[in-house]
Structures are given as C-alpha cells and as structure tokens.
Amino acid sequence: MKVSKEELLHIAKLSNLILKEDEVESYLLNLQDILNFADIVNEASTEGVQETIGANSNYNVFRKDEIKEFGNRDILLQNAPEQEDGMFKIPKVI
Amino acid sequence: MNLTELTVHELKEKLNNKEITSQDIVKAYVDRINEKEPEVKAFITTLCDEALEQAKKIDEEGDYSSFKGIPIGIKDNINITGVKTTCASRMLENFVSPYDATVIEKLKDEGIINLGKLNMDEFAMGGSTEYSYFKKTSNPWDLNRVPGGSSGGSAAAVAAGMAPWALGSDTGGSIRQPSSFCGVVGMKPTYGLISRYGLVAFASSLDQIGPITKDVRDNAMLLNIIAGHDEKDTTSENIEKKDYVKALKNDVKGLKIGVPKEFYGEGINPEVKKALETAIAKYKELGAEVEEFSMDVAKYALATYYIIACAEASSNLGRFDGIRYGYRTKEFSNLKDIYKNSRSEGFGAEVKRRIILGTYVLSSGYYDAYYKKAQQVRTLVKNEFSKAFEKYDVIVTPTAPTVAFNIGEKSNNPLEMYLADICTVPINIAGVPAISVPCGVDSNGMPIGMQIIGKHFAEETILNAAYTYEQNTNFKENKPTFKK
C-alpha cells in the first residue's frame, strides 16, 4: 500500500501528534518500509479463519460491581501537572 | 569471596547458615553498582540508601525465612509505591507511582529488597535499549555493544553483577533477546501466568512479566514468587500453584524436541547456527529425541506481531494526554494543544512511529487489510504451535538471529531493528512460554542464547530442559569482560 503525505498527516492528527517537517519525511519513509514488509500477511491463506483477539481462551470475566476505595486521593493527584481543590485542572473549554 | 558473583540460591544458603548477613549482600551490590554504573549505565533510579536501611532492619530481626534480605532490580515499567516509574520516557520522567504492581507486592511479601529501577527502551519499544530517553546501556561483555532490549538494563545488571536477579517484561522478546545478548537466563512465562497489574501497558494481549537470572534454578525460584492469579488482572489465569524448583530434574531422557527449520535459515548468523547445532547434539547425547520439522507460518509472524503490537500500543498510549499525570507542554492556548503538544514533546521518535503505524492499521480503509488479517494469521500461528506440541514436548530455536550488535548500528533503521525479534515474536503471538539459556560464545567472545519453547503453562518442562542443558555444559562459567 502506498502512503501519501496527506494520509500520514491525517493519521498523525488522529493520533494527537504533530509532526515537524523533517519528521514527516522520515516517518513517511519508515512507514512505507514497514508496511511493504507487513504486506506479507496478505499472502497467508485465511479464508474462513477466525480472528484471535487475545492470547488466552476467549471468554468474558465477570465480577461484582463493587466500589473499592483507594483511600489516598492526594497521592493520585500528586502526579497531575496542574490541580486545584482536589481536581485536575485544564484550560477553559467553553 | 565476591558476593556479587553468586547466584541467589547460593546467597540464600549462606544467609540461612549465618555465614553472611543481608547487609553484606546489599553492601556488596551497592559497591558494585557504584563501581560499574558509570560504564554499564543499567539503572535509571537507584535505591541504595533505602536498600541498606532495609537490610539493616532484617539483620536486626535475624529472620531469613522466605527471601528476606535478598535484593533485586526492577525494570522501570513496573510500579513501586513512592518510586518513579519512568518507562525510560520524557513523558513519565517525574511520575511517582501511587501503588505497587502485584508482582512487587509479592516480592515485598517475601522480604525482597529493591536496589532500583532498570533502563529499557522507551515504553518497552525496541530491541537495544538505545531508545531510552535517559541513557544508552552498554553490554557488559563488550561496552561498545548494545545489551539488547527492551529489558536491556535488567539483563545487563544481572550479567554485570549489579543485581543478583531482576524482573523484565516481554512483549515480543524483550526478556529473552537481552538475556541472550548478555549471557543470562530469561523467561517469558505463558500469557496469563503472571499478573500484569501495575505493569505499564504496551500491547496488552502480548505483554508478560518474567524473571532474568544468573542460572536456571534462580529463574525457577523467582517464577515461584511472582506466578499466580490476581483478581486485578482478569487475563491472569486461575490455575493450580506449582513449585517450579521441583521440576528441575537434570534428566531429559525421552524428551521430544522439535527443531523448526525455518528458524535456522536465512538471516541466522552461522556462528549462532553452529552453537545451536552443538546444543541440540548435546540434548541427543543426554537421551532426548530430536526431530526436524517445518513451521510454515513462521514467515508471517514478525509482520503479524508488528501490526498487532502497534495497534494495541496506539490505543494504550492514548491515555498520555498531559492532564492526570505525565509530561505537560508549556505551549498551549486550549485543551487540544495540551494533548497534541504534550504527546509530541513527551514521546520519543520510535514510540511516535509505532503509534502512527498502529493508528494506520486500525484506520478505516486499512483495518481489513492489516489488523483483521493479522488477527486471523495470529490464529494460524497459534494452531501451528498447538499442532507441533501434539508431537513434541519442547521446540528449540536460537533466541536471536545474531549476537549483540554495536551501539548505533541499527538505531536509524527501524525495520532492521525489528528483524532482531524474528525468533521471539511468534511465541508471544501464540501466548506460550519460552526461556533463553546461554549456549556458547562466538569468535569475539559474545554470548549466544538458545530458546526453549513449551506448551501453555508447561514452564516446568522448559525449565527442566534448560536446567539439564546448563548442568551438563559449562557456559555459566564464562564471565563478562567489560571490554572497551
């Protein structure tokens, strides 16, 4: 699959990443290289083969929806770049 | 007697016999870290003072039951309360963990002492530890070469005697390949044997924590400590607790070994191939039954791995947005700017490359051609392993196609770096366990590793196979030379 510069910029936007001009060029080359290599999966015969979504047997694991208090809010907030009154602080959105 | 040259079971015996104290051990390691860290650069955070204090307390109490007083090193993507978990990224440079990973709780329950956090490729993405934001770790056998990756700090520290054993994590070979490059023993257990709670997620369906040790007995002992179901990780399986040390029988008579010829072909260094052939001959001599077979889907495994791992990574790393924790940009006027600029400045080049690749293969228009297709090929790879294990007890391959390469040799060519994982990724895709054990050195004296793969939850079988080989050869006696 051939990747265009526009496509790469679209993907970067979806990923919430900004690429500098020199990065665009090198990432385009890398992505193309890797995708050319990855294309080999399309040679495998997979008609009717189920997809594997995890390494262990596929089943749902249920548990009771019980609240367990962590108990130390301050220590959780301590890693926030900005906080106020026990809340994470972000710029105004409306 | 140099305590840093001893295995943990040897240290444990001396502790039990009151020949040495925990402070003797920890002091020896702190001295060794101070001596070797400038050239090996294995640690991101050291906890030397805290470790000495803990050792003093244990000696005062005088109780050396369990593993009280034995130190360890931890890969820097596993959370320890009150200690930084950086993932070797600018993004988490100042992140202090508010909680313990389940494996850390288990180590603490045994009275094991943490020496510090070990270097790695950023977010465990890489095969050389060169993608760390902080420093490049050197291989103790030749300081100009990489230690492998992504658990390069863990493997180098154990090889250099800077930690008696360590924990790593393995998504596509990140425990086994550096263990092979550094001449130590490393295991990726079956997916689901060990809780991933508190391990920073890279690719959740592939990640697994595992032990890196000086010998196979230590490996079994550390696995005993960390294995087990955890309600905080729903993918951890509720299976009966085993004693892996008891599995070490020094006997492989009648063991059926499969040798897949695809793992010995193109791209495998002739000296690595030769060492493996010699090791396989040794197994025959010890009474194992060896047969060559074909594993046709192996050729799709590497591409499948990079599609799945990057897809999962692009999703997992979405959480780093500069709001709740992690790096926040100085340049912003609105919320969207915080997300974009924090991520662009906080992540390194390889991490961004993988997020972009992962987002691409999941994006509309390419999902079917790449992601869905890779998930189907994953089924084929799993089936092929199941089929092989109907005939064989273990499968033996090289751990890596080459010995450790030079620092800088592959860091600018991502695809070439990915090829270093060719022998290890199929195992993560299938979810089965595998161990890397030293099986020789090349003409430059660099270690070569043999990978022994087993059925789901057959850690006992691969440990015994590795142990029997180790006991009947003397590669363990080779020591790193810190060549400059």
Side-chain angles (χ1 to χ4, degrees), chain B residues 18-72:
Chain B
K18 311 257 171 180
E19 288 171 52
I20 53 171
T21 63
S22 173
Q23 288 176 89
D24 292 336
I25 301 173
V26 174
K27 267 182 196 149
Y29 274 99
V30 169
D31 289 347
R32 182 72 170 177
I33 291 168
N34 288 333
E35 180 199 343
K36 290 293 178 196
E37 179 61 15
E39 53 187 20
V40 179
K41 300 178 284 278
F43 282 87
I44 291 177
T45 304
T46 50
L47 300 167
C48 294
D49 293 343
E50 295 88 333
L52 285 166
E53 214 168 286
Q54 274 175 282
K56 189 166 174 250
K57 203 168 152 237
I58 287 169
D59 286 338
E60 279 164 7
E61 285 164 7
D63 172 10
Y64 299 118
S65 61
S66 326
F67 285 88
K68 286 194 183 76
I70 299 283
I72 196 167

Short mmCIF file of all heavy atoms in Angstrom, two decimals, chain B residues 18-72:
data_model
loop_
_atom_site.label_atom_id
_atom_site.label_comp_id
_atom_site.label_asym_id
_atom_site.label_seq_id
_atom_site.Cartn_x
_atom_site.Cartn_y
_atom_site.Cartn_z
N LYS B 18 23.97 -18.48 58.30
CA LYS B 18 24.52 -17.34 59.06
C LYS B 18 25.99 -17.10 58.74
O LYS B 18 26.75 -16.58 59.55
CB LYS B 18 24.34 -17.54 60.58
CG LYS B 18 22.94 -17.94 61.00
CD LYS B 18 22.17 -16.77 61.58
CE LYS B 18 20.72 -17.18 61.77
NZ LYS B 18 19.80 -16.29 62.29
N GLU B 19 26.42 -17.48 57.52
CA GLU B 19 27.79 -17.17 57.09
C GLU B 19 27.90 -15.72 56.69
O GLU B 19 28.99 -15.13 56.76
CB GLU B 19 28.17 -18.03 55.88
CG GLU B 19 28.40 -19.50 56.17
CD GLU B 19 28.56 -20.27 54.87
OE1 GLU B 19 29.39 -19.87 54.05
OE2 GLU B 19 27.84 -21.27 54.70
N ILE B 20 26.79 -15.16 56.20
CA ILE B 20 26.78 -13.75 55.79
C ILE B 20 25.48 -13.11 56.28
O ILE B 20 24.55 -13.82 56.69
CB ILE B 20 26.86 -13.58 54.25
CG1 ILE B 20 25.76 -14.42 53.56
CG2 ILE B 20 28.22 -13.94 53.71
CD1 ILE B 20 25.62 -14.16 52.07
N THR B 21 25.44 -11.77 56.20
CA THR B 21 24.21 -11.06 56.57
C THR B 21 23.62 -10.42 55.32
O THR B 21 24.27 -10.33 54.27
CB THR B 21 24.50 -9.95 57.58
OG1 THR B 21 25.36 -8.98 56.93
CG2 THR B 21 25.18 -10.48 58.82
N SER B 22 22.37 -9.96 55.47
CA SER B 22 21.74 -9.23 54.36
C SER B 22 22.53 -7.96 54.05
O SER B 22 22.67 -7.58 52.89
CB SER B 22 20.30 -8.90 54.73
OG SER B 22 19.74 -8.08 53.75
N GLN B 23 23.07 -7.32 55.11
CA GLN B 23 23.86 -6.11 54.87
C GLN B 23 25.13 -6.41 54.06
O GLN B 23 25.53 -5.61 53.22
CB GLN B 23 24.24 -5.44 56.20
CG GLN B 23 23.04 -4.79 56.86
CD GLN B 23 23.40 -4.23 58.23
OE1 GLN B 23 23.82 -3.09 58.35
NE2 GLN B 23 23.24 -5.04 59.26
N ASP B 24 25.75 -7.58 54.31
CA ASP B 24 26.91 -7.96 53.49
C ASP B 24 26.52 -8.00 52.02
O ASP B 24 27.24 -7.51 51.14
CB ASP B 24 27.43 -9.36 53.90
CG ASP B 24 28.02 -9.38 55.30
OD1 ASP B 24 28.45 -8.31 55.76
OD2 ASP B 24 28.06 -10.47 55.92
N ILE B 25 25.37 -8.63 51.76
CA ILE B 25 24.93 -8.79 50.36
C ILE B 25 24.63 -7.43 49.74
O ILE B 25 25.14 -7.08 48.68
CB ILE B 25 23.66 -9.69 50.28
CG1 ILE B 25 23.95 -11.07 50.87
CG2 ILE B 25 23.19 -9.81 48.84
CD1 ILE B 25 22.71 -11.96 50.99
N VAL B 26 23.78 -6.66 50.44
CA VAL B 26 23.35 -5.37 49.86
C VAL B 26 24.54 -4.42 49.71
O VAL B 26 24.68 -3.75 48.68
CB VAL B 26 22.20 -4.75 50.69
CG1 VAL B 26 21.85 -3.36 50.16
CG2 VAL B 26 20.96 -5.64 50.64
N LYS B 27 25.45 -4.42 50.69
CA LYS B 27 26.65 -3.56 50.58
C LYS B 27 27.48 -3.96 49.36
O LYS B 27 27.97 -3.10 48.63
CB LYS B 27 27.51 -3.69 51.84
CG LYS B 27 27.18 -2.62 52.87
CD LYS B 27 28.09 -2.74 54.09
CE LYS B 27 27.52 -1.95 55.26
NZ LYS B 27 27.86 -2.54 56.55
N ALA B 28 27.64 -5.27 49.17
CA ALA B 28 28.43 -5.74 48.02
C ALA B 28 27.81 -5.26 46.72
O ALA B 28 28.51 -4.82 45.79
CB ALA B 28 28.51 -7.27 48.05
N TYR B 29 26.46 -5.31 46.66
CA TYR B 29 25.80 -4.86 45.43
C TYR B 29 25.87 -3.34 45.27
O TYR B 29 26.06 -2.84 44.16
CB TYR B 29 24.35 -5.37 45.37
CG TYR B 29 24.33 -6.75 44.77
CD1 TYR B 29 24.25 -7.89 45.55
CD2 TYR B 29 24.47 -6.90 43.39
CE1 TYR B 29 24.28 -9.15 44.98
CE2 TYR B 29 24.52 -8.15 42.81
CZ TYR B 29 24.42 -9.28 43.61
OH TYR B 29 24.48 -10.51 43.02
N VAL B 30 25.72 -2.60 46.35
CA VAL B 30 25.81 -1.14 46.26
C VAL B 30 27.22 -0.74 45.78
O VAL B 30 27.37 0.10 44.89
CB VAL B 30 25.47 -0.49 47.63
CG1 VAL B 30 25.83 0.99 47.63
CG2 VAL B 30 23.98 -0.68 47.94
N ASP B 31 28.25 -1.39 46.33
CA ASP B 31 29.62 -1.11 45.88
C ASP B 31 29.79 -1.43 44.40
O ASP B 31 30.42 -0.67 43.66
CB ASP B 31 30.64 -1.96 46.68
CG ASP B 31 30.75 -1.46 48.12
OD1 ASP B 31 30.25 -0.35 48.40
OD2 ASP B 31 31.33 -2.20 48.96
N ARG B 32 29.24 -2.56 44.01
CA ARG B 32 29.35 -2.98 42.61
C ARG B 32 28.62 -2.00 41.68
O ARG B 32 29.12 -1.66 40.61
CB ARG B 32 28.78 -4.39 42.47
CG ARG B 32 28.87 -4.98 41.09
CD ARG B 32 30.29 -5.37 40.72
NE ARG B 32 30.29 -6.14 39.49
CZ ARG B 32 31.40 -6.57 38.89
NH1 ARG B 32 32.58 -6.33 39.42
NH2 ARG B 32 31.33 -7.26 37.77
N ILE B 33 27.43 -1.54 42.12
CA ILE B 33 26.69 -0.56 41.32
C ILE B 33 27.52 0.72 41.19
O ILE B 33 27.69 1.26 40.10
CB ILE B 33 25.30 -0.27 41.94
CG1 ILE B 33 24.39 -1.49 41.80
CG2 ILE B 33 24.65 0.95 41.26
CD1 ILE B 33 23.10 -1.41 42.63
N ASN B 34 28.08 1.18 42.31
CA ASN B 34 28.90 2.39 42.26
C ASN B 34 30.10 2.23 41.35
O ASN B 34 30.50 3.16 40.64
CB ASN B 34 29.35 2.79 43.67
CG ASN B 34 28.19 3.33 44.49
OD1 ASN B 34 27.22 3.85 43.94
ND2 ASN B 34 28.27 3.17 45.81
N GLU B 35 30.67 1.04 41.35
CA GLU B 35 31.86 0.78 40.52
C GLU B 35 31.50 0.69 39.03
O GLU B 35 32.18 1.25 38.18
CB GLU B 35 32.51 -0.53 40.99
CG GLU B 35 33.75 -0.92 40.22
CD GLU B 35 34.11 -2.40 40.36
OE1 GLU B 35 33.60 -3.06 41.29
OE2 GLU B 35 34.86 -2.90 39.51
N LYS B 36 30.43 -0.04 38.71
CA LYS B 36 30.16 -0.38 37.31
C LYS B 36 29.14 0.51 36.59
O LYS B 36 29.10 0.54 35.36
CB LYS B 36 29.70 -1.85 37.21
CG LYS B 36 30.79 -2.87 37.50
CD LYS B 36 31.87 -2.82 36.42
CE LYS B 36 33.00 -3.79 36.70
NZ LYS B 36 34.20 -3.50 35.88
N GLU B 37 28.30 1.21 37.37
CA GLU B 37 27.26 2.01 36.72
C GLU B 37 27.82 3.03 35.71
O GLU B 37 27.24 3.19 34.63
CB GLU B 37 26.36 2.68 37.78
CG GLU B 37 25.23 3.55 37.23
CD GLU B 37 24.20 2.83 36.36
OE1 GLU B 37 24.14 1.58 36.38
OE2 GLU B 37 23.46 3.52 35.64
N PRO B 38 28.94 3.70 36.00
CA PRO B 38 29.44 4.67 35.01
C PRO B 38 29.70 4.06 33.63
O PRO B 38 29.54 4.74 32.63
CB PRO B 38 30.75 5.16 35.65
CG PRO B 38 30.56 4.95 37.12
CD PRO B 38 29.73 3.69 37.24
N GLU B 39 30.10 2.78 33.57
CA GLU B 39 30.34 2.21 32.24
C GLU B 39 29.18 1.38 31.70
O GLU B 39 28.98 1.32 30.50
CB GLU B 39 31.66 1.45 32.17
CG GLU B 39 31.88 0.39 33.22
CD GLU B 39 33.30 -0.19 33.16
OE1 GLU B 39 34.20 0.46 32.59
OE2 GLU B 39 33.50 -1.30 33.69
N VAL B 40 28.37 0.76 32.57
CA VAL B 40 27.28 -0.08 32.08
C VAL B 40 25.98 0.74 31.91
O VAL B 40 25.22 0.52 30.98
CB VAL B 40 27.04 -1.30 33.01
CG1 VAL B 40 25.88 -2.16 32.50
CG2 VAL B 40 28.30 -2.15 33.12
N LYS B 41 25.74 1.69 32.78
CA LYS B 41 24.55 2.56 32.72
C LYS B 41 23.25 1.76 32.68
O LYS B 41 22.44 1.91 31.77
CB LYS B 41 24.67 3.52 31.53
CG LYS B 41 25.90 4.43 31.61
CD LYS B 41 26.05 5.33 30.42
CE LYS B 41 26.56 4.67 29.18
NZ LYS B 41 27.96 4.45 28.99
N ALA B 42 23.08 0.88 33.65
CA ALA B 42 21.91 -0.01 33.67
C ALA B 42 20.73 0.58 34.43
O ALA B 42 19.59 0.23 34.17
CB ALA B 42 22.30 -1.35 34.30
N PHE B 43 21.00 1.48 35.38
CA PHE B 43 19.94 1.96 36.27
C PHE B 43 19.41 3.34 35.87
O PHE B 43 20.18 4.22 35.47
CB PHE B 43 20.46 2.07 37.72
CG PHE B 43 20.53 0.75 38.44
CD1 PHE B 43 21.66 -0.05 38.34
CD2 PHE B 43 19.47 0.30 39.22
CE1 PHE B 43 21.74 -1.28 39.00
CE2 PHE B 43 19.54 -0.92 39.89
CZ PHE B 43 20.68 -1.72 39.78
N ILE B 44 18.10 3.54 36.01
CA ILE B 44 17.51 4.87 35.88
C ILE B 44 17.38 5.48 37.28
O ILE B 44 17.68 6.64 37.49
CB ILE B 44 16.15 4.80 35.17
CG1 ILE B 44 16.35 4.42 33.69
CG2 ILE B 44 15.40 6.15 35.26
CD1 ILE B 44 15.08 4.25 32.89
N THR B 45 16.95 4.67 38.25
CA THR B 45 16.84 5.11 39.64
C THR B 45 17.53 4.08 40.52
O THR B 45 17.27 2.88 40.36
CB THR B 45 15.35 5.19 40.07
OG1 THR B 45 14.66 6.05 39.18
CG2 THR B 45 15.20 5.70 41.50
N THR B 46 18.42 4.52 41.43
CA THR B 46 18.96 3.56 42.39
C THR B 46 18.34 3.86 43.76
O THR B 46 18.00 5.00 44.07
CB THR B 46 20.50 3.66 42.51
OG1 THR B 46 20.84 5.02 42.70
CG2 THR B 46 21.19 3.13 41.28
N LEU B 47 18.17 2.79 44.54
CA LEU B 47 17.57 2.93 45.87
C LEU B 47 18.55 2.40 46.92
O LEU B 47 18.17 1.68 47.84
CB LEU B 47 16.25 2.13 45.93
CG LEU B 47 15.16 2.55 44.93
CD1 LEU B 47 14.05 1.50 44.86
CD2 LEU B 47 14.57 3.90 45.30
N CYS B 48 19.83 2.76 46.74
CA CYS B 48 20.90 2.16 47.56
C CYS B 48 20.71 2.43 49.06
O CYS B 48 20.81 1.50 49.87
CB CYS B 48 22.26 2.66 47.10
SG CYS B 48 22.66 2.11 45.44
N ASP B 49 20.44 3.68 49.43
CA ASP B 49 20.30 4.01 50.87
C ASP B 49 19.13 3.26 51.49
O ASP B 49 19.24 2.68 52.57
CB ASP B 49 20.12 5.52 51.07
CG ASP B 49 21.38 6.28 50.67
OD1 ASP B 49 22.44 5.62 50.56
OD2 ASP B 49 21.29 7.50 50.47
N GLU B 50 18.00 3.28 50.77
CA GLU B 50 16.80 2.58 51.26
C GLU B 50 17.09 1.09 51.40
O GLU B 50 16.67 0.46 52.37
CB GLU B 50 15.63 2.78 50.30
CG GLU B 50 15.14 4.21 50.17
CD GLU B 50 15.87 5.01 49.09
OE1 GLU B 50 17.04 4.69 48.78
OE2 GLU B 50 15.29 5.96 48.57
N ALA B 51 17.82 0.53 50.42
CA ALA B 51 18.11 -0.90 50.44
C ALA B 51 18.98 -1.26 51.64
O ALA B 51 18.74 -2.25 52.33
CB ALA B 51 18.79 -1.31 49.13
N LEU B 52 20.00 -0.42 51.91
CA LEU B 52 20.89 -0.67 53.05
C LEU B 52 20.12 -0.61 54.37
O LEU B 52 20.35 -1.41 55.28
CB LEU B 52 22.04 0.34 53.05
CG LEU B 52 23.12 0.09 51.99
CD1 LEU B 52 24.02 1.31 51.83
CD2 LEU B 52 23.97 -1.14 52.34
N GLU B 53 19.21 0.36 54.43
CA GLU B 53 18.40 0.51 55.63
C GLU B 53 17.52 -0.73 55.87
O GLU B 53 17.43 -1.24 57.00
CB GLU B 53 17.50 1.74 55.44
CG GLU B 53 17.23 2.51 56.71
CD GLU B 53 16.60 3.84 56.36
OE1 GLU B 53 17.33 4.74 55.86
OE2 GLU B 53 15.37 3.96 56.53
N GLN B 54 16.91 -1.21 54.79
CA GLN B 54 16.06 -2.40 54.92
C GLN B 54 16.88 -3.62 55.34
O GLN B 54 16.44 -4.43 56.16
CB GLN B 54 15.41 -2.72 53.57
CG GLN B 54 14.12 -1.99 53.31
CD GLN B 54 13.62 -2.28 51.91
OE1 GLN B 54 14.12 -1.72 50.94
NE2 GLN B 54 12.66 -3.18 51.79
N ALA B 55 18.09 -3.74 54.77
CA ALA B 55 18.95 -4.88 55.10
C ALA B 55 19.32 -4.85 56.58
O ALA B 55 19.33 -5.88 57.26
CB ALA B 55 20.20 -4.85 54.23
N LYS B 56 19.58 -3.64 57.07
CA LYS B 56 19.95 -3.47 58.47
C LYS B 56 18.81 -3.96 59.37
O LYS B 56 19.02 -4.71 60.33
CB LYS B 56 20.26 -1.99 58.74
CG LYS B 56 20.85 -1.71 60.09
CD LYS B 56 21.44 -0.28 60.15
CE LYS B 56 21.89 0.03 61.55
NZ LYS B 56 21.04 1.04 62.20
N LYS B 57 17.60 -3.57 59.00
CA LYS B 57 16.42 -3.94 59.77
C LYS B 57 16.24 -5.47 59.78
O LYS B 57 15.97 -6.07 60.83
CB LYS B 57 15.19 -3.25 59.17
CG LYS B 57 14.06 -3.11 60.16
CD LYS B 57 12.98 -2.17 59.63
CE LYS B 57 11.65 -2.57 60.23
NZ LYS B 57 10.62 -2.89 59.26
N ILE B 58 16.41 -6.06 58.62
CA ILE B 58 16.24 -7.51 58.52
C ILE B 58 17.31 -8.23 59.36
O ILE B 58 17.01 -9.19 60.07
CB ILE B 58 16.27 -7.96 57.04
CG1 ILE B 58 14.97 -7.54 56.36
CG2 ILE B 58 16.48 -9.48 56.90
CD1 ILE B 58 14.95 -7.66 54.87
N ASP B 59 18.55 -7.75 59.29
CA ASP B 59 19.62 -8.36 60.10
C ASP B 59 19.33 -8.24 61.59
O ASP B 59 19.60 -9.16 62.37
CB ASP B 59 20.97 -7.72 59.77
CG ASP B 59 21.51 -8.18 58.42
OD1 ASP B 59 21.07 -9.25 57.95
OD2 ASP B 59 22.35 -7.47 57.84
N GLU B 60 18.79 -7.09 61.98
CA GLU B 60 18.46 -6.90 63.41
C GLU B 60 17.41 -7.91 63.86
O GLU B 60 17.47 -8.43 64.96
CB GLU B 60 17.98 -5.46 63.65
CG GLU B 60 19.14 -4.48 63.77
CD GLU B 60 18.73 -3.02 63.63
OE1 GLU B 60 17.51 -2.74 63.56
OE2 GLU B 60 19.63 -2.17 63.54
N GLU B 61 16.45 -8.14 62.96
CA GLU B 61 15.40 -9.11 63.30
C GLU B 61 15.92 -10.55 63.23
O GLU B 61 15.40 -11.44 63.90
CB GLU B 61 14.19 -8.94 62.37
CG GLU B 61 13.37 -7.70 62.73
CD GLU B 61 12.42 -7.27 61.63
OE1 GLU B 61 12.29 -8.00 60.62
OE2 GLU B 61 11.83 -6.18 61.77
N GLY B 62 16.93 -10.76 62.36
CA GLY B 62 17.59 -12.06 62.28
C GLY B 62 16.77 -13.18 61.68
O GLY B 62 17.12 -14.36 61.79
N ASP B 63 15.67 -12.83 61.02
CA ASP B 63 14.82 -13.86 60.40
C ASP B 63 15.09 -13.87 58.89
O ASP B 63 14.82 -12.89 58.20
CB ASP B 63 13.35 -13.50 60.70
CG ASP B 63 12.37 -14.39 59.94
OD1 ASP B 63 12.82 -15.40 59.34
OD2 ASP B 63 11.17 -14.08 59.95
N TYR B 64 15.65 -14.98 58.41
CA TYR B 64 15.96 -15.07 56.98
C TYR B 64 15.06 -16.07 56.27
O TYR B 64 15.42 -16.65 55.25
CB TYR B 64 17.44 -15.43 56.77
CG TYR B 64 18.39 -14.40 57.34
CD1 TYR B 64 19.28 -14.72 58.35
CD2 TYR B 64 18.36 -13.08 56.87
CE1 TYR B 64 20.13 -13.76 58.89
CE2 TYR B 64 19.21 -12.12 57.40
CZ TYR B 64 20.09 -12.46 58.41
OH TYR B 64 20.92 -11.50 58.93
N SER B 65 13.85 -16.26 56.81
CA SER B 65 12.91 -17.15 56.12
C SER B 65 12.46 -16.48 54.81
O SER B 65 12.76 -15.32 54.57
CB SER B 65 11.71 -17.42 57.02
OG SER B 65 11.05 -16.21 57.32
N SER B 66 11.70 -17.21 54.00
CA SER B 66 11.32 -16.78 52.64
C SER B 66 12.56 -16.27 51.92
O SER B 66 13.59 -16.91 51.95
CB SER B 66 10.23 -15.70 52.64
OG SER B 66 9.34 -15.85 53.68
N PHE B 67 12.46 -15.06 51.34
CA PHE B 67 13.64 -14.50 50.68
C PHE B 67 14.06 -13.21 51.37
O PHE B 67 14.58 -12.29 50.74
CB PHE B 67 13.35 -14.29 49.19
CG PHE B 67 13.36 -15.57 48.43
CD1 PHE B 67 12.21 -16.34 48.31
CD2 PHE B 67 14.53 -16.05 47.85
CE1 PHE B 67 12.22 -17.54 47.63
CE2 PHE B 67 14.55 -17.25 47.16
CZ PHE B 67 13.39 -18.01 47.05
N LYS B 68 13.84 -13.15 52.67
CA LYS B 68 14.16 -11.93 53.42
C LYS B 68 15.63 -11.59 53.28
O LYS B 68 16.50 -12.43 53.49
CB LYS B 68 13.81 -12.12 54.91
CG LYS B 68 12.32 -12.10 55.19
CD LYS B 68 12.06 -11.95 56.68
CE LYS B 68 10.59 -11.99 56.98
NZ LYS B 68 10.01 -13.37 56.91
N GLY B 69 15.87 -10.31 52.89
CA GLY B 69 17.25 -9.83 52.82
C GLY B 69 17.94 -10.00 51.49
O GLY B 69 19.08 -9.61 51.32
N ILE B 70 17.22 -10.60 50.50
CA ILE B 70 17.80 -10.77 49.16
C ILE B 70 17.40 -9.58 48.29
O ILE B 70 16.23 -9.23 48.23
CB ILE B 70 17.28 -12.08 48.52
CG1 ILE B 70 17.68 -13.32 49.34
CG2 ILE B 70 17.73 -12.20 47.06
CD1 ILE B 70 19.10 -13.77 49.21
N PRO B 71 18.36 -8.92 47.62
CA PRO B 71 17.99 -7.78 46.77
C PRO B 71 17.58 -8.17 45.34
O PRO B 71 17.81 -9.31 44.92
CB PRO B 71 19.27 -6.95 46.74
CG PRO B 71 20.39 -7.87 47.10
CD PRO B 71 19.82 -9.09 47.74
N ILE B 72 16.98 -7.22 44.63
CA ILE B 72 16.54 -7.43 43.24
C ILE B 72 16.56 -6.10 42.50
O ILE B 72 16.56 -5.03 43.13
CB ILE B 72 15.11 -8.04 43.23
CG1 ILE B 72 14.77 -8.63 41.86
CG2 ILE B 72 14.05 -6.99 43.64
CD1 ILE B 72 13.53 -9.51 41.84
#
